[in-house]
Amino acid sequence: MNQPIDWLMQGPGFVRYRTLVDLIDKGEEDKDVKKAYAEMLADPMAAGLIKEVNDWENQYTITRHNDAAHPLHKLVFLADIGVKKDTLKQAIDSILSHQSSEGPFQIKIVIPKAFGGDDKPRWDWVATDAPLLLYSLLKLGIKDKRVMKGIEHLKSRIAEPGFPCFASASMGRFRGPGRKDDPCPYANLIILRMMSQAQEFADSKEAGKALDMLLGHWRQRKEKKYYLFGMGTDFQKLKAPLIWYDILHLLDTLTLFPKARKDPRLNEMFDIVEKKADSEGRFTPESVWTKWKGWEFCQKKEPSRWVTFLAQRILKRVQ
């Protein structure tokens, strides 16, 4: 597959910055990297996200975890594109001030009575948000006792088939919408993403079980649909940013683990993505998060530099 580096380098600052660092292997001290980073921060689109995420304390209450507009997912995106911790200090301070006694950090959340909750907004956590906060903190370079306590608690919730849906003790009977003994694919995905940022967790038996769960789901995708998460037509559509349970998010996470890169099940997934490239190695989004309107990946008419970058980075890891 062709690697359209020149085309990527004609894109917005965040694409150029990540292309230089992740595809061309330039260091942070390189003058072109510094320039791209500065231009990324000056971009009104990125600056708007930074301002919103830094208002973390006043975030609105999340009621469904695939709410693409919630500051939780915007924080993850900013961490993924490489925004530094000094720029997000206000958000980080707020996040660290809301740590549960168990360890995971909290967001404003409502759990409906239908899922075992009480319909009351509060600062709390479940397995489909807490790993993303810890992942973001690790990406931002924050790895202290508070963060490690949160990771250790999530890691301790492993079960034989992988991580189930689970929540803080204050949630009482809550366990999500699926069968009691089923693993939750999305929880396994984002817990793995969190573990990838700390070597001692990336090599753990718990990470190995989560990898096996997700790769096994792919192999059994025609028979198994856990909770809300299947691997059908919608799952295989290219979509950014990486928010929910889809093929790009899964591949971008699994390829962070060397032992998964040569797995034939992962290669089957990658073959599906690779065939979506045009003759120049570019990829066009097949689905969008409409609340990200204005970003170059939020359209389905022409190749997206960010989606192309994500696919090309996955390819680089598996080669």
Side-chain angles (χ1 to χ4, degrees):
M1 185 168 67
N2 294 327
Q3 195 175 60
I5 296 295
D6 289 345
W7 180 72
L8 291 174
M9 290 301 295
Q10 295 168 14
F14 74 98
V15 175
R16 287 185 283 115
Y17 175 59
R18 292 262 51 102
T19 297
L20 286 164
V21 173
D22 295 337
L23 298 184
I24 306 177
D25 297 322
K26 295 283 188 180
E28 291 289 342
E29 297 305 312
D30 180 88
K31 62 179 179 60
D32 291 331
V33 171
K34 288 182 176 181
K35 181 181 178 182
Y37 182 76
E39 292 177 358
M40 174 177 75
L41 294 187
D43 185 324
M45 299 294 287
L49 286 191
I50 291 167
K51 181 179 180 181
E52 184 176 348
V53 170
N54 270 330
D55 193 30
W56 188 263
E57 196 67 22
N58 297 312
Q59 67 185 255
Y60 66 87
T61 303
I62 195 168
T63 57
R64 53 183 179 81
H65 281 77
N66 64 344
D67 181 352
H70 194 273
L72 173 66
H73 296 301
K74 294 176 179 179
L75 168 70
V76 174
F77 179 74
L78 291 174
D80 277 339
I81 64 176
V83 173
K84 305 291 193 299
K85 63 182 179 182
D86 57 334
T87 303
L88 293 171
K89 184 180 184 304
Q90 187 177 334
I92 292 168
D93 288 346
S94 178
I95 292 166
L96 295 177
S97 74
H98 292 283
Q99 184 168 24
S100 67
S101 59
E102 299 152 297
F105 296 95
Q106 303 161 320
I107 63 171
K108 285 184 181 177
I109 186 172
V110 166
I111 299 297
K113 287 182 179 179
F115 293 154
D118 58 11
D119 286 331
K120 295 179 180 178
R122 62 177 183 236
W123 288 91
D124 217 326
W125 66 269
V126 298
T128 47
D129 55 57
L132 294 175
L133 282 176
L134 289 160
Y135 166 77
S136 299
L137 291 171
L138 289 170
K139 285 286 286 187
L140 291 164
I142 301 167
K143 187 182 177 184
D144 58 19
K145 290 181 179 179
R146 295 167 295 180
V147 172
M148 299 304 279
K149 180 181 179 181
I151 297 172
E152 286 286 2
H153 181 78
L154 296 184
K155 176 171 162 279
S156 74
R157 301 298 295 268
I158 191 68
E160 190 54 41
F163 290 95
C165 186
F166 59 92
S168 72
S170 65
M171 290 284 185
R173 296 180 298 104
F174 170 76
R175 61 171 180 81
R179 295 187 346 183
K180 182 178 180 180
D181 296 328
D182 277 348
C184 173
Y186 183 63
N188 280 270
L189 171 60
I190 62 176
I191 289 173
L192 267 181
R193 201 161 183 85
M194 172 194 76
M195 287 182 168
S196 73
Q197 300 303 306
Q199 196 60 50
E200 61 267 42
F201 297 116
D203 293 334
S204 68
K205 64 180 181 180
E206 291 84 359
K209 284 188 176 182
L211 285 168
D212 288 342
M213 183 268 130
L214 291 167
L215 290 167
H217 191 202
W218 174 255
R219 185 53 52 87
Q220 296 180 293
R221 63 192 179 279
K222 293 182 180 179
E223 296 84 36
K224 292 280 189 180
K225 183 177 181 180
Y226 297 105
Y227 291 69
L228 309 171
F229 306 107
M231 287 181 154
T233 302
D234 286 344
F235 171 86
Q236 295 179 28
K237 291 179 179 179
L238 303 184
K239 191 173 189 178
L242 306 178
I243 288 176
W244 207 228
Y245 193 60
D246 58 60
I247 197 165
L248 267 187
H249 197 178
L250 187 56
L251 281 172
D252 192 65
T253 300
L254 294 178
T255 53
L256 292 169
F257 296 83
K259 58 186 173 184
R261 292 173 189 164
K262 301 301 181 183
D263 192 292
R265 295 166 293 183
L266 185 145
N267 291 328
E268 287 175 9
M269 276 187 274
F270 183 73
D271 287 345
I272 289 173
V273 171
E274 189 174 26
K275 289 175 183 176
K276 296 175 186 282
D278 67 15
S279 60
E280 298 175 60
R282 304 177 304 175
F283 293 80
T284 299
E286 298 171 304
S287 181
V288 299
W289 296 106
T290 56
K291 291 183 179 179
W292 287 70
K293 185 178 180 180
W295 291 84
E296 60 87 44
F297 47 74
C298 192
Q299 49 79 34
K300 297 184 286 185
K301 295 181 179 180
E302 60 186 30
S304 157
R305 287 180 170 86
W306 185 241
V307 172
T308 297
F309 162 79
L310 291 172
Q312 292 288 349
R313 185 172 64 180
I314 290 166
L315 173 64
K316 183 181 178 184
R317 291 173 184 162
V318 300
Q319 283 181 328

